[in-house]
Amino acid sequence: MSSLPKPIQLKGNFTTRIYFENEDFLLADKPEGIPVHETKDPNRLDFTRLLANHLHLPELRTINRLDLGTSGLVLLGKNKTKNLDLDNLLKEAEKKYIFICEGIPLWKEQRMECFIKDGNKQVNIVRSGGKKAITEFNILESDKKNNISFGLAKILTGRRHQIRVMLSNLGFPILGDQVYGKKESRERRMYLHAFRFSFTDFSGRKHMVETEVPADWMNRMPSITDAKIQSN
């Protein structure tokens, strides 16, 4: 991993870093607790507009979406003539997330395929009528004392709430997920983070962009280290 990019302070006491940038797009680290793009409330802060204002890039566009409580890498387009190309880049990219879940799975590796149907505030796994979703899970570390586990999820499809609903269905909901896990949680955040984004740029060069494990995760589960993720 290259040297850590400099932090960028945004309005609302949010901090980000830009991990990759060229003339057409950039990859930035969205903090948890802020919408990735505009909502129905025009007065609500969102990550894309905050970063666009800071960088003086009024045409900055969100290419991939992260949930409110999910942090990590977001692909943002700078050049509106490349919108279709960026959608294709996102489709072909390899995307990996890290998570902390409740419980300790008996398995270390698990591939899950199912069909997901959109609902109002959540999605459901269905037998028919949904869209196919595929995720590969790896458990990297478990904490028996606190009954939690740290893992890596590779998404092969990009469905809404895909990782969250799948882990919940397997019996190991993401820590702090009040939709698919415990409704009343004392956790400070939801422990899901878009960690790695591997892609081929428009000139044919391959890139692998990674963030660090969020610092507050180390406090919640001190046995986590970056080294445990590097071989996966």
Side-chain angles (χ1 to χ4, degrees), residues 14-140:
F14 292 103
T15 303
T16 187
R17 299 175 194 269
I18 295 175
Y19 284 85
F20 178 91
E21 184 174 11
N22 63 20
E23 63 182 6
D24 296 314
F25 60 91
L26 59 86
L27 284 160
D29 186 6
K30 182 189 91 70
E32 62 88 18
I34 183 173
V36 69
H37 53 58
E38 284 187 81
T39 65
K40 293 180 181 178
D41 180 359
N43 296 316
R44 189 176 188 183
L45 299 177
D46 70 84
F47 179 65
T48 300
R49 282 192 298 171
L50 288 181
L51 188 58
N53 291 338
H54 181 86
L55 298 175
H56 306 291
L57 294 172
E59 294 184 350
L60 199 66
R61 170 187 173 236
T62 313
I63 308 299
N64 69 313
R65 300 178 181 182
L66 296 183
D67 299 331
L68 176 71
T70 304
S71 56
L73 290 170
V74 174
L75 177 64
L76 298 152
K78 298 165 62 178
N79 183 347
K80 64 181 180 180
T81 66
K82 297 290 187 178
N83 283 349
L84 182 59
D85 294 324
L86 286 169
D87 288 340
N88 289 331
L89 183 150
L90 175 66
K91 183 178 180 180
E92 297 299 323
E94 180 182 275
K95 299 166 282 289
K96 291 189 176 183
Y97 291 66
I98 52 175
F99 61 86
I100 301 177
C101 66
E102 299 177 24
I104 300 175
L106 296 177
W107 44 266
K108 291 295 183 183
E109 298 181 359
Q110 178 87 318
R111 177 186 170 101
M112 184 170 179
E113 299 186 24
C114 66
F115 291 90
I116 291 177
K117 187 174 183 179
D118 266 336
N120 182 15
K121 294 184 178 180
Q122 64 184 75
V123 303
N124 296 289
I125 294 177
V126 295
R127 292 182 179 273
S128 63
K131 295 180 178 179
K132 191 168 186 179
I134 308 172
T135 308
E136 295 176 350
F137 296 102
N138 292 80
I139 298 299
L140 305 178

Side-chain angles (χ1 to χ4, degrees), residues 167-212:
L167 281 173
S168 179
N169 183 264
L170 289 169
F172 307 99
I174 291 173
L175 203 62
D177 189 343
Q178 295 184 358
V179 175
Y180 301 100
K182 293 179 180 178
K183 304 304 178 185
E184 295 183 5
S185 174
R186 296 182 179 180
E187 300 295 337
R188 295 183 177 182
R189 63 163 294 170
M190 184 173 71
Y191 288 87
L192 181 61
H193 179 83
F195 172 77
R196 181 183 296 156
F197 190 90
S198 303
F199 65 98
T200 302
D201 66 22
F202 299 149
S203 64
R205 293 183 59 193
K206 296 184 180 296
H207 303 266
M208 185 179 75
V209 179
E210 292 182 348
T211 73
E212 294 66 41

